[in-house]
Amino acid sequence: MSQTTERIQFIDSHTAGEPTRVIVAGAPDLGAGPIRDRLARLRAQDWFRQSVILEPRGSDAVVGAVLCEPHEPGCAAGVIFINNTGYLGMCGHGAIGLAVTLHHLGRIGLGRHAFDTPVGVVQVDVLGPNLVAIENVASYRLRQRVEITVEGLGRVVGDVAWGGNWFFLIESSPFPLGLVNVKELTEAADKVRRALWDQGVTGTEGAEIDHVEFFGPAQTADAQSRNFVYCPGGAYDRSPCGTGTSAKVACLAADGKLKPGEIWVQESVIGSRFTASYRLDPSGKVIPRIEGAAYVCTEGWLLRQDNDPFRNGIVPG
Ligand code: PYC
């Protein structure tokens, strides 16, 4: 019996430790038009996300960046970010990883570029082969000092903020922020996420707050803070999280604790770091700038054989 094999070209990189898998070729044809419309078409073919992100070809930690032709004028690339559970509006570490990957491929040079994402155009400065700064989408705090009750943690207070995804930011971490506590931190963040939903705390238009951030003191002298970031599929971000750091910057700006142009160095739970700042756009919105380092680490082809029972990944039941 003949066997057919589908080939999907990819390049893996990591940004501050967090993996990004750029899908260079072999994604379904998503047609033309705004990236958010193409995201809807990709969502309707969810087998593709499952096959490139889930085990045995991927893992829970991987964020995919499906490269597309841009729709917005002047953009170097269009991109749809995917993870082990679905589709992300924006992904900061992923945009940095994508820029380093496109530079590695010789498709973009040093200097300023723009990426077309489902939540808007993101400006990208390629500062070196491994160093990139992104100007994220406008970020803001929606609600301050929201109190919820969380199983095992009791009363928890945090801010609801948008940085390209929805975040609940909790100033005092329930456990020390180190790799040794990742299991406990993940379980606690998962309970916070459930409590937010059960207690009706959402982003705008009822959007689920699916990212949770715990903060604590930095462990290096020139950083301001360390974080742990829980992502929607239950994985934790090895980087300080680009959209999460954008949400943090928006809260600091709202509190008058960080002025435009001032630097905020955010450490991750593994000790990697992003350098953040922001500017105000003409309407007074906070536009975060997140700088970080990324490195390409693997390139190749993912193979989907039509007789492989796990060609669409191991899908949680
Ligand atoms: O860097 O924005 C980010 C991100 C979101 C989820 C994982 N990383």
Side-chain angles (χ1 to χ4, degrees), residues 139-161:
S139 301
Y140 61 97
R141 178 165 67 193
L142 180 69
R143 294 180 63 187
Q144 185 182 11
R145 294 195 61 75
V146 178
E147 189 177 318
I148 54 171
T149 305
V150 181
E151 180 205 331
L153 299 178
R155 174 181 167 272
V156 171
V157 175
D159 289 356
V160 176

Side-chain angles (χ1 to χ4, degrees), residues 155-238:
R155 174 181 167 272
V156 171
V157 175
D159 289 356
V160 176
W162 171 257
N165 293 298
W166 284 108
F167 288 84
F168 194 65
L169 299 92
I170 299 164
E171 263 320 299
S172 49
S173 175
F175 302 98
L177 295 173
L179 271 178
V180 68
N181 289 325
V182 156
K183 185 168 176 285
E184 290 79 1
L185 289 160
T186 303
E187 282 168 6
D190 193 55
K191 286 179 184 161
V192 170
R193 178 187 175 181
R194 283 171 210 273
L196 287 165
W197 185 249
D198 291 346
Q199 290 163 49
V201 180
T202 65
T204 52
E205 295 166 9
E208 184 181 3
I209 300 167
D210 53 8
H211 291 71
V212 176
E213 272 190 88
F214 295 130
F215 292 91
Q219 293 183 15
T220 45
D222 59 343
Q224 278 70 48
S225 163
R226 178 171 274 237
N227 71 8
F228 169 87
V229 183
Y230 165 95
C231 301
Y236 74 94
D237 198 331
R238 279 71 172 160

